[in-house]
mmCIF file of all heavy atoms in Angstrom:
data_model
loop_
_atom_site.group_PDB
_atom_site.id
_atom_site.type_symbol
_atom_site.label_atom_id
_atom_site.label_comp_id
_atom_site.label_asym_id
_atom_site.label_seq_id
_atom_site.Cartn_x
_atom_site.Cartn_y
_atom_site.Cartn_z
ATOM 1 N N GLY A 1 38.145 123.252 46.089
ATOM 2 C CA GLY A 1 38.946 123.882 45.061
ATOM 3 C C GLY A 1 38.518 125.288 44.698
ATOM 4 O O GLY A 1 38.539 125.638 43.523
ATOM 5 N N ILE A 2 38.154 126.089 45.685
ATOM 6 C CA ILE A 2 37.780 127.470 45.381
ATOM 7 C C ILE A 2 38.899 128.431 45.807
ATOM 8 O O ILE A 2 39.731 128.102 46.642
ATOM 9 C CB ILE A 2 36.447 127.888 46.029
ATOM 10 C CG1 ILE A 2 36.527 127.872 47.561
ATOM 11 C CG2 ILE A 2 35.311 126.986 45.542
ATOM 12 C CD1 ILE A 2 35.339 128.527 48.236
ATOM 13 N N VAL A 3 38.877 129.605 45.207
ATOM 14 C CA VAL A 3 39.855 130.649 45.492
ATOM 15 C C VAL A 3 39.094 131.873 45.969
ATOM 16 O O VAL A 3 38.094 132.266 45.358
ATOM 17 C CB VAL A 3 40.684 130.998 44.230
ATOM 18 C CG1 VAL A 3 41.675 132.109 44.527
ATOM 19 C CG2 VAL A 3 41.380 129.770 43.694
ATOM 20 N N VAL A 4 39.564 132.465 47.068
ATOM 21 C CA VAL A 4 38.947 133.676 47.609
ATOM 22 C C VAL A 4 40.002 134.761 47.735
ATOM 23 O O VAL A 4 41.193 134.477 47.854
ATOM 24 C CB VAL A 4 38.279 133.417 48.980
ATOM 25 C CG1 VAL A 4 37.162 132.383 48.855
ATOM 26 C CG2 VAL A 4 39.297 132.974 50.021
ATOM 27 N N SER A 5 39.556 136.008 47.716
ATOM 28 C CA SER A 5 40.510 137.113 47.836
ATOM 29 C C SER A 5 40.494 137.757 49.208
ATOM 30 O O SER A 5 41.348 138.592 49.499
ATOM 31 C CB SER A 5 40.246 138.164 46.755
ATOM 32 O OG SER A 5 38.939 138.665 46.876
ATOM 33 N N THR A 6 39.533 137.381 50.049
ATOM 34 C CA THR A 6 39.484 137.923 51.411
ATOM 35 C C THR A 6 39.224 136.802 52.404
ATOM 36 O O THR A 6 38.646 135.764 52.056
ATOM 37 C CB THR A 6 38.374 138.988 51.578
ATOM 38 O OG1 THR A 6 37.095 138.338 51.511
ATOM 39 C CG2 THR A 6 38.473 140.084 50.519
ATOM 40 N N LEU A 7 39.606 137.042 53.642
ATOM 41 C CA LEU A 7 39.329 136.048 54.684
ATOM 42 C C LEU A 7 37.857 136.033 55.050
ATOM 43 O O LEU A 7 37.340 135.002 55.488
ATOM 44 C CB LEU A 7 40.210 136.297 55.903
ATOM 45 C CG LEU A 7 41.687 135.979 55.653
ATOM 46 C CD1 LEU A 7 42.537 136.361 56.859
ATOM 47 C CD2 LEU A 7 41.890 134.512 55.303
ATOM 48 N N ALA A 8 37.159 137.136 54.846
ATOM 49 C CA ALA A 8 35.706 137.145 55.061
ATOM 50 C C ALA A 8 35.044 136.155 54.104
ATOM 51 O O ALA A 8 34.141 135.407 54.497
ATOM 52 C CB ALA A 8 35.147 138.552 54.874
ATOM 53 N N GLU A 9 35.495 136.141 52.856
ATOM 54 C CA GLU A 9 34.973 135.166 51.897
ATOM 55 C C GLU A 9 35.320 133.746 52.335
ATOM 56 O O GLU A 9 34.482 132.838 52.243
ATOM 57 C CB GLU A 9 35.557 135.413 50.513
ATOM 58 C CG GLU A 9 35.091 136.680 49.844
ATOM 59 C CD GLU A 9 35.863 136.988 48.573
ATOM 60 O OE1 GLU A 9 37.104 136.796 48.535
ATOM 61 O OE2 GLU A 9 35.216 137.420 47.618
ATOM 62 N N ALA A 10 36.539 133.542 52.796
ATOM 63 C CA ALA A 10 36.956 132.213 53.249
ATOM 64 C C ALA A 10 36.068 131.732 54.390
ATOM 65 O O ALA A 10 35.607 130.580 54.385
ATOM 66 C CB ALA A 10 38.417 132.233 53.681
ATOM 67 N N ARG A 11 35.828 132.603 55.365
ATOM 68 C CA ARG A 11 34.959 132.217 56.491
ATOM 69 C C ARG A 11 33.538 131.920 56.018
ATOM 70 O O ARG A 11 32.899 130.975 56.482
ATOM 71 C CB ARG A 11 34.969 133.304 57.559
ATOM 72 C CG ARG A 11 36.263 133.369 58.357
ATOM 73 C CD ARG A 11 36.158 134.305 59.555
ATOM 74 N NE ARG A 11 35.835 135.670 59.155
ATOM 75 C CZ ARG A 11 36.744 136.587 58.795
ATOM 76 N NH1 ARG A 11 38.020 136.284 58.808
ATOM 77 N NH2 ARG A 11 36.358 137.799 58.447
ATOM 78 N N PHE A 12 33.035 132.726 55.085
ATOM 79 C CA PHE A 12 31.692 132.527 54.545
ATOM 80 C C PHE A 12 31.573 131.148 53.898
ATOM 81 O O PHE A 12 30.639 130.388 54.170
ATOM 82 C CB PHE A 12 31.355 133.626 53.530
ATOM 83 C CG PHE A 12 30.067 133.418 52.801
ATOM 84 C CD1 PHE A 12 28.862 133.803 53.374
ATOM 85 C CD2 PHE A 12 30.050 132.829 51.536
ATOM 86 C CE1 PHE A 12 27.661 133.608 52.698
ATOM 87 C CE2 PHE A 12 28.853 132.637 50.856
ATOM 88 C CZ PHE A 12 27.661 133.025 51.442
ATOM 89 N N PHE A 13 32.518 130.825 53.017
ATOM 90 C CA PHE A 13 32.456 129.536 52.331
ATOM 91 C C PHE A 13 32.727 128.374 53.287
ATOM 92 O O PHE A 13 32.113 127.310 53.161
ATOM 93 C CB PHE A 13 33.413 129.509 51.141
ATOM 94 C CG PHE A 13 32.892 130.295 49.964
ATOM 95 C CD1 PHE A 13 33.479 131.498 49.603
ATOM 96 C CD2 PHE A 13 31.813 129.840 49.234
ATOM 97 C CE1 PHE A 13 32.999 132.225 48.525
ATOM 98 C CE2 PHE A 13 31.314 130.553 48.153
ATOM 99 C CZ PHE A 13 31.911 131.762 47.802
ATOM 100 N N ALA A 14 33.621 128.557 54.247
ATOM 101 C CA ALA A 14 33.876 127.508 55.238
ATOM 102 C C ALA A 14 32.597 127.219 56.026
ATOM 103 O O ALA A 14 32.266 126.054 56.275
ATOM 104 C CB ALA A 14 35.005 127.916 56.169
ATOM 105 N N ALA A 15 31.873 128.261 56.391
ATOM 106 C CA ALA A 15 30.610 128.078 57.123
ATOM 107 C C ALA A 15 29.576 127.355 56.263
ATOM 108 O O ALA A 15 28.678 126.692 56.786
ATOM 109 C CB ALA A 15 30.064 129.423 57.587
ATOM 110 N N GLY A 16 29.735 127.452 54.946
ATOM 111 C CA GLY A 16 28.828 126.784 54.025
ATOM 112 C C GLY A 16 29.272 125.388 53.627
ATOM 113 O O GLY A 16 28.718 124.798 52.706
ATOM 114 N N GLY A 17 30.289 124.874 54.290
ATOM 115 C CA GLY A 17 30.713 123.502 54.049
ATOM 116 C C GLY A 17 31.852 123.317 53.069
ATOM 117 O O GLY A 17 32.231 122.192 52.764
ATOM 118 N N PHE A 18 32.427 124.407 52.589
ATOM 119 C CA PHE A 18 33.591 124.291 51.706
ATOM 120 C C PHE A 18 34.821 124.023 52.564
ATOM 121 O O PHE A 18 35.022 124.676 53.587
ATOM 122 C CB PHE A 18 33.776 125.574 50.889
ATOM 123 C CG PHE A 18 32.750 125.739 49.806
ATOM 124 C CD1 PHE A 18 31.460 126.148 50.110
ATOM 125 C CD2 PHE A 18 33.063 125.466 48.485
ATOM 126 C CE1 PHE A 18 30.501 126.292 49.123
ATOM 127 C CE2 PHE A 18 32.109 125.605 47.486
ATOM 128 C CZ PHE A 18 30.819 126.019 47.807
ATOM 129 N N ASP A 19 35.631 123.018 52.162
ATOM 130 C CA ASP A 19 36.773 122.665 53.013
ATOM 131 C C ASP A 19 38.101 122.616 52.256
ATOM 132 O O ASP A 19 39.085 122.065 52.732
ATOM 133 C CB ASP A 19 36.529 121.343 53.740
ATOM 134 C CG ASP A 19 36.518 120.137 52.820
ATOM 135 O OD1 ASP A 19 36.540 120.316 51.589
ATOM 136 O OD2 ASP A 19 36.488 119.020 53.340
ATOM 137 N N ASP A 20 38.144 123.190 51.060
ATOM 138 C CA ASP A 20 39.366 123.267 50.257
ATOM 139 C C ASP A 20 39.381 124.665 49.640
ATOM 140 O O ASP A 20 38.786 124.895 48.584
ATOM 141 C CB ASP A 20 39.354 122.182 49.186
ATOM 142 C CG ASP A 20 40.558 122.251 48.256
ATOM 143 O OD1 ASP A 20 41.480 123.047 48.502
ATOM 144 O OD2 ASP A 20 40.569 121.492 47.267
ATOM 145 N N ILE A 21 40.029 125.593 50.343
ATOM 146 C CA ILE A 21 39.979 127.005 49.970
ATOM 147 C C ILE A 21 41.397 127.559 49.869
ATOM 148 O O ILE A 21 42.214 127.345 50.761
ATOM 149 C CB ILE A 21 39.190 127.803 51.031
ATOM 150 C CG1 ILE A 21 37.740 127.293 51.134
ATOM 151 C CG2 ILE A 21 39.219 129.297 50.720
ATOM 152 C CD1 ILE A 21 36.947 127.886 52.291
ATOM 153 N N LEU A 22 41.648 128.300 48.803
ATOM 154 C CA LEU A 22 42.914 129.016 48.645
ATOM 155 C C LEU A 22 42.657 130.497 48.892
ATOM 156 O O LEU A 22 41.830 131.102 48.219
ATOM 157 C CB LEU A 22 43.486 128.819 47.239
ATOM 158 C CG LEU A 22 44.665 129.714 46.834
ATOM 159 C CD1 LEU A 22 45.851 129.548 47.761
ATOM 160 C CD2 LEU A 22 45.053 129.472 45.389
ATOM 161 N N TYR A 23 43.373 131.061 49.854
ATOM 162 C CA TYR A 23 43.342 132.500 50.125
ATOM 163 C C TYR A 23 44.381 133.122 49.209
ATOM 164 O O TYR A 23 45.577 132.978 49.428
ATOM 165 C CB TYR A 23 43.650 132.753 51.602
ATOM 166 C CG TYR A 23 43.788 134.193 52.014
ATOM 167 C CD1 TYR A 23 42.947 135.183 51.529
ATOM 168 C CD2 TYR A 23 44.765 134.566 52.922
ATOM 169 C CE1 TYR A 23 43.083 136.504 51.937
ATOM 170 C CE2 TYR A 23 44.903 135.891 53.334
ATOM 171 C CZ TYR A 23 44.054 136.843 52.835
ATOM 172 O OH TYR A 23 44.185 138.155 53.240
ATOM 173 N N ALA A 24 43.913 133.813 48.185
ATOM 174 C CA ALA A 24 44.786 134.266 47.100
ATOM 175 C C ALA A 24 45.401 135.634 47.359
ATOM 176 O O ALA A 24 45.301 136.545 46.547
ATOM 177 C CB ALA A 24 44.019 134.267 45.789
ATOM 178 N N PHE A 25 46.060 135.744 48.487
ATOM 179 C CA PHE A 25 46.835 136.940 48.801
ATOM 180 C C PHE A 25 47.933 136.509 49.773
ATOM 181 O O PHE A 25 47.659 135.732 50.688
ATOM 182 C CB PHE A 25 45.961 138.030 49.428
ATOM 183 C CG PHE A 25 46.638 139.362 49.477
ATOM 184 C CD1 PHE A 25 46.711 140.159 48.349
ATOM 185 C CD2 PHE A 25 47.248 139.804 50.642
ATOM 186 C CE1 PHE A 25 47.364 141.381 48.378
ATOM 187 C CE2 PHE A 25 47.903 141.019 50.684
ATOM 188 C CZ PHE A 25 47.957 141.811 49.548
ATOM 189 N N PRO A 26 49.163 136.966 49.570
ATOM 190 C CA PRO A 26 50.228 136.549 50.489
ATOM 191 C C PRO A 26 49.864 136.849 51.947
ATOM 192 O O PRO A 26 49.380 137.935 52.258
ATOM 193 C CB PRO A 26 51.428 137.383 50.039
ATOM 194 C CG PRO A 26 51.160 137.646 48.589
ATOM 195 C CD PRO A 26 49.665 137.826 48.497
ATOM 196 N N VAL A 27 50.063 135.869 52.803
ATOM 197 C CA VAL A 27 49.626 135.971 54.197
ATOM 198 C C VAL A 27 50.280 137.159 54.889
ATOM 199 O O VAL A 27 51.497 137.187 55.059
ATOM 200 C CB VAL A 27 49.974 134.693 54.987
ATOM 201 C CG1 VAL A 27 49.581 134.825 56.437
ATOM 202 C CG2 VAL A 27 49.311 133.486 54.373
ATOM 203 N N PRO A 28 49.464 138.129 55.302
ATOM 204 C CA PRO A 28 50.029 139.234 56.081
ATOM 205 C C PRO A 28 50.139 138.833 57.556
ATOM 206 O O PRO A 28 49.320 138.063 58.059
ATOM 207 C CB PRO A 28 49.022 140.372 55.895
ATOM 208 C CG PRO A 28 47.760 139.725 55.436
ATOM 209 C CD PRO A 28 48.087 138.362 54.911
ATOM 210 N N ARG A 29 51.154 139.338 58.216
ATOM 211 C CA ARG A 29 51.383 139.004 59.623
ATOM 212 C C ARG A 29 50.131 139.245 60.471
ATOM 213 O O ARG A 29 49.780 138.438 61.321
ATOM 214 C CB ARG A 29 52.556 139.826 60.159
ATOM 215 C CG ARG A 29 52.906 139.531 61.613
ATOM 216 C CD ARG A 29 54.144 140.280 62.077
ATOM 217 N NE ARG A 29 55.346 139.870 61.376
ATOM 218 C CZ ARG A 29 56.039 138.767 61.641
ATOM 219 N NH1 ARG A 29 55.652 137.958 62.591
ATOM 220 N NH2 ARG A 29 57.132 138.478 60.965
ATOM 221 N N TRP A 30 49.441 140.337 60.212
ATOM 222 C CA TRP A 30 48.283 140.701 61.029
ATOM 223 C C TRP A 30 47.068 139.809 60.763
ATOM 224 O O TRP A 30 46.093 139.873 61.477
ATOM 225 C CB TRP A 30 47.917 142.178 60.846
ATOM 226 C CG TRP A 30 47.559 142.557 59.448
ATOM 227 C CD1 TRP A 30 46.304 142.541 58.887
ATOM 228 C CD2 TRP A 30 48.440 142.974 58.421
ATOM 229 N NE1 TRP A 30 46.369 142.928 57.577
ATOM 230 C CE2 TRP A 30 47.673 143.207 57.251
ATOM 231 C CE3 TRP A 30 49.819 143.188 58.350
ATOM 232 C CZ2 TRP A 30 48.234 143.630 56.059
ATOM 233 C CZ3 TRP A 30 50.367 143.616 57.148
ATOM 234 C CH2 TRP A 30 49.575 143.824 56.036
ATOM 235 N N ARG A 31 47.123 138.951 59.744
ATOM 236 C CA ARG A 31 46.040 138.017 59.448
ATOM 237 C C ARG A 31 46.424 136.566 59.750
ATOM 238 O O ARG A 31 45.666 135.648 59.478
ATOM 239 C CB ARG A 31 45.641 138.117 57.975
ATOM 240 C CG ARG A 31 45.071 139.444 57.581
ATOM 241 C CD ARG A 31 43.662 139.560 58.059
ATOM 242 N NE ARG A 31 43.022 140.703 57.427
ATOM 243 C CZ ARG A 31 42.016 141.330 57.963
ATOM 244 N NH1 ARG A 31 41.522 140.930 59.108
ATOM 245 N NH2 ARG A 31 41.489 142.356 57.363
ATOM 246 N N LEU A 32 47.607 136.377 60.318
ATOM 247 C CA LEU A 32 48.100 135.023 60.553
ATOM 248 C C LEU A 32 47.185 134.223 61.473
ATOM 249 O O LEU A 32 46.913 133.053 61.207
ATOM 250 C CB LEU A 32 49.521 135.058 61.116
ATOM 251 C CG LEU A 32 50.157 133.678 61.286
ATOM 252 C CD1 LEU A 32 50.352 133.008 59.935
ATOM 253 C CD2 LEU A 32 51.472 133.790 62.010
ATOM 254 N N ALA A 33 46.692 134.820 62.540
ATOM 255 C CA ALA A 33 45.822 134.090 63.474
ATOM 256 C C ALA A 33 44.553 133.599 62.770
ATOM 257 O O ALA A 33 44.117 132.459 62.984
ATOM 258 C CB ALA A 33 45.475 134.962 64.677
ATOM 259 N N GLU A 34 43.970 134.431 61.914
ATOM 260 C CA GLU A 34 42.768 134.027 61.181
ATOM 261 C C GLU A 34 43.085 132.906 60.201
ATOM 262 O O GLU A 34 42.306 131.953 60.067
ATOM 263 C CB GLU A 34 42.194 135.211 60.411
ATOM 264 C CG GLU A 34 41.627 136.312 61.285
ATOM 265 C CD GLU A 34 41.265 137.527 60.460
ATOM 266 O OE1 GLU A 34 40.141 137.552 59.911
ATOM 267 O OE2 GLU A 34 42.121 138.435 60.336
ATOM 268 N N CYS A 35 44.225 133.012 59.537
ATOM 269 C CA CYS A 35 44.634 131.963 58.603
ATOM 270 C C CYS A 35 44.885 130.656 59.344
ATOM 271 O O CYS A 35 44.502 129.580 58.876
ATOM 272 C CB CYS A 35 45.876 132.394 57.828
ATOM 273 S SG CYS A 35 45.572 133.712 56.639
ATOM 274 N N SER A 36 45.516 130.751 60.494
ATOM 275 C CA SER A 36 45.788 129.568 61.299
ATOM 276 C C SER A 36 44.493 128.886 61.722
ATOM 277 O O SER A 36 44.369 127.658 61.649
ATOM 278 C CB SER A 36 46.623 129.950 62.525
ATOM 279 O OG SER A 36 46.843 128.830 63.336
ATOM 280 N N GLU A 37 43.517 129.670 62.138
ATOM 281 C CA GLU A 37 42.231 129.103 62.570
ATOM 282 C C GLU A 37 41.577 128.365 61.406
ATOM 283 O O GLU A 37 41.080 127.252 61.574
ATOM 284 C CB GLU A 37 41.325 130.224 63.090
ATOM 285 C CG GLU A 37 40.021 129.732 63.691
ATOM 286 C CD GLU A 37 38.906 129.517 62.668
ATOM 287 O OE1 GLU A 37 38.796 130.317 61.719
ATOM 288 O OE2 GLU A 37 38.167 128.522 62.806
ATOM 289 N N LEU A 38 41.586 128.964 60.230
ATOM 290 C CA LEU A 38 40.983 128.313 59.064
ATOM 291 C C LEU A 38 41.771 127.066 58.662
ATOM 292 O O LEU A 38 41.185 126.041 58.307
ATOM 293 C CB LEU A 38 40.897 129.299 57.897
ATOM 294 C CG LEU A 38 39.783 130.339 58.019
ATOM 295 C CD1 LEU A 38 40.028 131.508 57.077
ATOM 296 C CD2 LEU A 38 38.426 129.703 57.753
ATOM 297 N N ALA A 39 43.091 127.135 58.724
ATOM 298 C CA ALA A 39 43.923 125.985 58.370
ATOM 299 C C ALA A 39 43.677 124.809 59.309
ATOM 300 O O ALA A 39 43.713 123.648 58.890
ATOM 301 C CB ALA A 39 45.392 126.380 58.373
ATOM 302 N N GLN A 40 43.417 125.099 60.574
ATOM 303 C CA GLN A 40 43.145 124.034 61.537
ATOM 304 C C GLN A 40 41.747 123.449 61.348
ATOM 305 O O GLN A 40 41.530 122.263 61.559
ATOM 306 C CB GLN A 40 43.294 124.575 62.950
ATOM 307 C CG GLN A 40 44.726 124.913 63.309
ATOM 308 C CD GLN A 40 44.823 125.609 64.649
ATOM 309 O OE1 GLN A 40 44.427 125.040 65.649
ATOM 310 N NE2 GLN A 40 45.337 126.839 64.648
ATOM 311 N N ARG A 41 40.824 124.291 60.939
ATOM 312 C CA ARG A 41 39.416 123.910 60.842
ATOM 313 C C ARG A 41 39.084 123.154 59.553
ATOM 314 O O ARG A 41 38.257 122.244 59.557
ATOM 315 C CB ARG A 41 38.584 125.182 60.927
ATOM 316 C CG ARG A 41 37.119 124.985 60.947
ATOM 317 C CD ARG A 41 36.456 126.301 61.276
ATOM 318 N NE ARG A 41 35.386 126.549 60.340
ATOM 319 C CZ ARG A 41 34.902 127.728 60.061
ATOM 320 N NH1 ARG A 41 35.404 128.804 60.622
ATOM 321 N NH2 ARG A 41 33.925 127.855 59.228
ATOM 322 N N LEU A 42 39.721 123.542 58.446
ATOM 323 C CA LEU A 42 39.375 122.975 57.151
ATOM 324 C C LEU A 42 40.310 121.829 56.769
ATOM 325 O O LEU A 42 41.434 121.747 57.253
ATOM 326 C CB LEU A 42 39.457 124.057 56.074
ATOM 327 C CG LEU A 42 38.562 125.273 56.286
ATOM 328 C CD1 LEU A 42 38.777 126.285 55.177
ATOM 329 C CD2 LEU A 42 37.106 124.872 56.368
ATOM 330 N N LYS A 43 39.839 120.991 55.882
ATOM 331 C CA LYS A 43 40.690 119.911 55.395
ATOM 332 C C LYS A 43 41.908 120.499 54.689
ATOM 333 O O LYS A 43 43.031 120.066 54.917
ATOM 334 C CB LYS A 43 39.908 119.000 54.456
ATOM 335 C CG LYS A 43 40.703 117.825 53.975
ATOM 336 C CD LYS A 43 39.872 116.845 53.202
ATOM 337 C CE LYS A 43 40.743 115.670 52.797
ATOM 338 N NZ LYS A 43 40.001 114.714 51.995
ATOM 339 N N GLU A 44 41.673 121.491 53.807
ATOM 340 C CA GLU A 44 42.769 122.136 53.090
ATOM 341 C C GLU A 44 42.503 123.636 52.984
ATOM 342 O O GLU A 44 41.668 124.052 52.188
ATOM 343 C CB GLU A 44 42.944 121.538 51.695
ATOM 344 C CG GLU A 44 43.430 120.105 51.717
ATOM 345 C CD GLU A 44 43.757 119.580 50.336
ATOM 346 O OE1 GLU A 44 43.942 120.377 49.399
ATOM 347 O OE2 GLU A 44 43.821 118.351 50.200
ATOM 348 N N PHE A 45 43.212 124.399 53.790
ATOM 349 C CA PHE A 45 43.207 125.852 53.648
ATOM 350 C C PHE A 45 44.589 126.221 53.172
ATOM 351 O O PHE A 45 45.585 125.962 53.849
ATOM 352 C CB PHE A 45 42.887 126.552 54.973
ATOM 353 C CG PHE A 45 42.863 128.049 54.847
ATOM 354 C CD1 PHE A 45 41.817 128.681 54.192
ATOM 355 C CD2 PHE A 45 43.896 128.817 55.342
ATOM 356 C CE1 PHE A 45 41.799 130.060 54.055
ATOM 357 C CE2 PHE A 45 43.887 130.193 55.213
ATOM 358 C CZ PHE A 45 42.831 130.816 54.561
ATOM 359 N N GLN A 46 44.650 126.784 51.971
ATOM 360 C CA GLN A 46 45.926 127.057 51.329
ATOM 361 C C GLN A 46 46.163 128.562 51.271
ATOM 362 O O GLN A 46 45.219 129.337 51.160
ATOM 363 C CB GLN A 46 45.910 126.459 49.926
ATOM 364 C CG GLN A 46 45.634 124.952 49.968
ATOM 365 C CD GLN A 46 45.222 124.411 48.627
ATOM 366 O OE1 GLN A 46 45.916 124.598 47.642
ATOM 367 N NE2 GLN A 46 44.098 123.733 48.586
#
C-alpha cells in the first residue's frame, strides 16, 4: 500500500520486497514497458 512518484522509486521498493505499489502519475507512453514489467513482477502494481 505505498505510493511512489517515480518508477525509480517503484523499482527500489520492489527490490526491497514491496509488492503493492501505486505509481502516482498518469502512465506515459514512453514508460509503458517499465510499468508493464513492474505489473507483471509485483502482486499489485497500480
Side-chain angles (χ1 to χ4, degrees):
I2 64 169
V3 179
V4 299
S5 59
T6 70
L7 290 175
E9 291 171 320
R11 287 189 301 274
F12 173 83
F13 284 109
F18 287 77
D19 69 352
D20 177 7
I21 299 172
L22 169 59
Y23 174 41
F25 193 79
V27 177
R29 181 175 295 281
W30 60 91
R31 296 283 193 205
L32 185 65
E34 292 172 85
C35 290
S36 177
E37 186 274 322
L38 284 163
Q40 291 173 60
R41 184 170 132 203
L42 301 178
K43 183 172 182 182
E44 292 187 18
F45 181 73
Q46 302 164 54

